[in-house]
Each structure stands twice: as structure tokens, then as C-alpha cells.
Amino acid sequence: MNLFGLTLSELQEICLANGLQKFAAKQICDWLYKKRCTSIDGMTNLSLKMREQLLREYTLGRTPYADCQESADGTKKYLFPVESGKFVETVYIPDKERGTICVSSQVGCKMACKFCVTGKQGFHGHLSVADILNQIVGIDEADQLTNIVFMGMGEPFDNYDNVLKATHILTSEWGFAMSPRRITVSTVGILPRIKEFLEQSQCHLAVSLHSPYGDERAELMPIQKAYAHSEIVRVLRNYNWSGQRRLSFEYIMFRGLNDDLLHAKKLAQLLHGLHCRVNLIRFHASPNVPLVGSDMNTMTIFRDYLNDNGIICTIRASRGEDIMAACGLLAGKGGDS
């Protein structure tokens, strides 16, 4: 059993079950999450007897990355082995004083979005809490991170319990002690989990939208048939978006499909009065996907229309496309995956 990925209360239970003092759990947390220790032997303020006892039944649970590629723009893509024996990809994006990591939550994905490379490989398993956190501490730039986005391989809310637990460890004082305002969790729109997340977490929320028309969105994202975007927006309207918590909508732009002013107008109507922002994303061509990305002029016109009509809108810079690290291109290639 891994120690990495356990909460303070879980470690307290382990300590008590093994005849150790309860306070040792806080010491173990410090080694795991603050000092980023890579071995139980390295926990030097625990007695030798205590370390030997832990080593008999537990492993620490940290795993080094298997490969790393660097883009011409400085983006880096890491390949991590996970507990299932498969691999996932993790992306580090440097930007002036910000260092953002894009974390995976599953091997593959069940959601089958038409435009996504990850979804086309099918679903091969959930990541454990240790698998998720290992990506964050396992990259070379771990000490430079300022922001975490759950936008890598998989649908975070389809692995909800492990993702929520990971964010709990990331934001707890005994854990990584990060501000929840530095963490964004993205979803295709699994409505019951959205409701839980709004109540159980203070991290930012991003919802993949990609069309303001239900039938068109259903062609791009089958999840629309189960959880309509109109109902998602209704629920989000009823939440009190006070303070610094942020709601954003992701909108990939496809030439001749969802990028004209009729779509912009419909989107502005859908989101009118909702405290949110829209991130426009350039589509990155991938094999066997019969879609083409919009040009920058079209994206700029679309953005300006939304901004002029009361919807904060930005165009997300595309990073790491030359190493297949950009949005929708992660595939977890390695081993037998």
C-alpha cells in the first residue's frame, strides 16, 4: 500500500493501527507533501524502528517519469507510468512568471468526444490519488509550479473521488498548502458531479462547451445526450460565484461548424448574466478527425463579439503542438498503452 496520496486522517489511522503515536502522521505528511521525500528511509525524524515497521507493510508510492519531450516554445510533455501498468502524459507550460501543469486523471477516456485523441483510444482505467499527485511532484519543474489544471487525459469528474481527494491534499495545510484559486478542474459536463464539486471544493471550474446548440454539441460531445448544456448553465446560474472563485467555458473553434457570428450571438444569449469567462481554443488537427480549426481572424471576430456583448472572452495561446502536447492531443504513448 502507498503512503503517498493518503490524507492526514488516513495516516493517523495507519499510525494507530501499527502502534505508533498519532502525531507521527503529521510528520509523515510533512515528508510526503512539503519536503517531497522519495523514500520511507528518508523520513529521518521518525525512529529507525518506526521506519522499519512502515517498510514492512507500505511503499512510499513515488514513481519517476519514463520520458520527456520539449517543444520549441518551452512546453514539456512528460510520460508517467501509473499503478495499472499503463502510461499517461502530463504537460508543463512555462509562461513568464507562471508555471502551469496540465494533469491527467485517467488512462484514456470514456467520453468519446469527436475531436479528442485521448477519447479515441478508449478507456483503460482510473488514476489513483498517488498517480495524480505523482505527476505534480515528479516533473523537473515541480518547484516552479504556480497553477494546476486538470485538463489532461481523461474526464476528471468520471474519476471524481480520487480527483477531489487529490485537490484536498493539494489545498490542505498539512498537505501542499496551495490556494484553491491556483487549481482548475475541467469537465465535459457531468451534472451530478458538478453539483457536488461546487459544494465540496473551492477550486475553479471549467466546463467544455464547444457549441451553444444542443444538437450540434451532441454530435461533438455525446455527454450532451445525458446532461444538456442548458441544464448545466441553469445549475451554474443558481450558484453564488462570490469571491475569487472562477467559472470558465472552454470553446474549441472549428471552421464552418461553430465559429460564425450566429454561434457567437447564441453563446452570448446562453451565458448572459452569468459570472464567467469563455476561453476560445484553436483546434489541433489529428488523424482520422474530419474537422478543421478556425483561422485567427475568425477567432478574433468571435472573441470581440462576445466581449462587446458582456461576455469576458480570451483566445488561449496554443502551446506544445509540435510534440503533440496541445489541447486534445494527449495519448499516453508508452509501454503497452
Side-chain angles (χ1 to χ4, degrees), residues 212-229:
Y213 295 100
D215 55 349
E216 190 173 82
R217 186 172 187 262
E219 286 294 313
L220 294 169
M221 306 173 68
I223 194 69
Q224 169 73 13
K225 298 168 187 175
Y227 304 113
H229 68 316

Side-chain angles (χ1 to χ4, degrees), residues 249-292:
F249 290 93
E250 312 293 290
Y251 194 99
I252 298 176
M253 297 197 68
F254 305 103
R255 185 189 302 172
L257 178 64
N258 67 348
D259 63 350
D260 56 35
L261 285 179
L262 285 176
H263 282 79
K265 182 177 180 180
K266 182 70 172 179
L267 183 58
Q269 292 171 346
L270 177 68
L271 303 181
H272 178 73
L274 182 59
H275 183 65
C276 67
R277 69 172 57 232
V278 173
N279 294 317
L280 302 182
I281 302 170
R282 184 166 65 85
F283 173 65
H284 304 98
S286 56
N288 304 314
V289 177
L291 295 167
V292 178

